[in-house]
Amino acid sequence: MSLTLPTTGYDDQVKLGNIIENWIMQVGFDNFPTSAAEFLPISLHPTTIGSVYYHGVVQKSPTIRNSMDLATSTAKSGNVTLSLNNIQYKGDDLSAELFSTSGRNYINRIVKIYSCMPGATALSDCLQVANLRLTDMSHSDDTIIMRLVEARPWDFLTVPNEKTTELLIDVPVSYGQFNGN
């Protein structure tokens, strides 16, 4: 994923040094969120961006790991592990929300991570640094562990695996317009 700096002073804040960066996360459920009612807003430090309050439950700054070796044409997927405080959320534990007593499904849904500088008031003031997918969760009484991997456009796509009836030869897969024989 390429990064594009926000147009409103993000780069000026970075140059100052000694800043307090905040990471905010949008943990989607069901389909990816189009409004604040469709994602769980969490962050490193409590903040409000736009009209959305992000709960400061993330215990430490996430580290996003991925690698690419152009010489050997290999790449490793990025992954992140988040540790969250199991706070009271909407009258119950946050773990109850995440583990589906709410009826929402968070597993295999998109999680967007943004870097926000002091003074950010809108999501457009923040830099999106990751587009991930929640793959696994576990929890204890006071901590929730979320495991995330890089979300890619080809996730959950399958290639047809058909064979001819007579010779059992794989049927080619074609994309776009073509004339079959």
Side-chain angles (χ1 to χ4, degrees):
M1 177 180 129
S2 62
L3 302 177
T4 305
L5 285 175
T7 57
T8 55
Y10 186 93
D11 55 339
D12 293 332
Q13 287 285 332
V14 171
K15 291 175 189 173
L16 292 176
N18 202 16
I19 55 171
I20 300 173
E21 178 184 33
N22 194 6
W23 292 64
I24 65 170
M25 293 112 199
Q26 296 177 338
V27 183
F29 55 85
D30 300 331
N31 295 320
F32 187 70
T34 55
S35 72
E38 297 174 341
F39 64 83
L40 173 67
I42 61 175
S43 63
L44 192 57
H45 308 289
T47 191
T48 300
I49 301 290
S51 60
V52 180
Y53 177 74
Y54 289 83
H55 301 270
V57 297
V58 180
Q59 293 178 356
K60 63 180 183 174
S61 295
T63 302
I64 301 171
R65 297 171 296 276
N66 57 18
S67 66
M68 183 183 311
D69 185 349
L70 297 176
T72 61
S73 298
T74 59
K76 292 183 181 175
S77 293
N79 60 26
V80 173
T81 300
L82 295 176
S83 296
L84 312 177
N85 294 322
N86 195 7
I87 62 164
Q88 286 293 302
Y89 179 78
K90 293 186 178 179
D92 205 349
D93 288 344
L94 180 58
S95 59
E97 169 71 21
L98 290 169
F99 285 90
S100 197
T101 59
S102 65
R104 297 183 183 103
N105 185 7
Y106 289 93
I107 295 291
N108 284 326
R109 301 302 190 249
I110 297 295
V111 177
K112 291 186 177 184
I113 298 181
Y114 295 86
S115 166
C116 298
M117 293 297 144
T121 57
L123 198 57
S124 60
D125 298 338
C126 302
L127 173 66
Q128 183 178 350
V129 294
N131 193 39
L132 305 163
R133 185 170 46 87
L134 178 61
T135 58
D136 188 34
M137 292 185 290
S138 61
H139 76 97
S140 63
D141 287 340
D142 44 339
T143 303
I144 302 166
I145 304 295
M146 297 173 73
R147 289 169 198 78
L148 311 160
V149 296
E150 189 174 34
R152 289 178 251 148
W154 56 84
D155 285 346
F156 306 114
L157 293 180
T158 57
V159 176
N161 190 11
E162 298 179 29
K163 295 188 181 287
T164 60
T165 53
E166 296 171 6
L167 301 174
L168 297 177
I169 299 172
D170 289 327
V171 175
V173 176
S174 26
Y175 298 94
Q177 292 184 335
F178 67 96
N179 295 324
N181 5 350

